[in-house]
Amino acid sequence: MGAAERHRRVSAYRITFSAQARADLLALGELLAQEVLVGITAELGTDPHGGTSIERPLGGGPWDRVAFVAGWATVRYLVSEGPGIDPPVITVIRVIP
């Protein structure tokens, strides 16, 4: 099984990162950033509305969410899904240790 096929089986969503989220990951250092990336894929990639995910308090709606990943990081993200969006997309906005 190739890497692309493994990714499809793990994640039904395409995961992208804002410039701020990329900067947050860089600030963590390589090992912690990798741990967060694995957590994001595992915990959000198949069901961004489940697990530890909640609508962002005082947020803009069910598409604007936060989740606790890797046992220690808070991730703020947007979910883009619906007719015409294939595959659906998770956009990570911030990674907060």
Side-chain angles (χ1 to χ4, degrees):
M1 176 184 330
E5 185 177 346
R6 277 194 305 274
H7 180 71
R8 277 193 297 272
R9 294 182 78 201
V10 171
S11 179
Y13 289 77
R14 184 168 53 101
I15 301 172
T16 63
F17 296 84
S18 71
Q20 181 62 56
R22 287 190 302 273
D24 294 340
L25 289 169
L26 286 172
L28 291 174
E30 185 176 348
L31 292 176
L32 292 178
Q34 185 62 35
E35 185 177 326
V36 171
L37 291 171
V38 167
I40 288 170
T41 301
E43 297 176 38
L44 303 180
T46 57
D47 183 12
H49 302 287
T52 63
S53 172
I54 60 169
E55 289 183 27
R56 186 170 65 98
L58 305 174
W63 48 269
D64 189 0
R65 308 189 64 82
V66 295
F68 191 61
V69 300
W72 58 269
T74 301
V75 175
R76 180 171 172 215
Y77 61 99
L78 304 174
V79 179
S80 302
E81 57 191 350
I85 302 174
D86 186 33
V89 178
I90 296 169
T91 303
V92 176
I93 303 299
R94 291 293 315 263
V95 176
I96 304 160

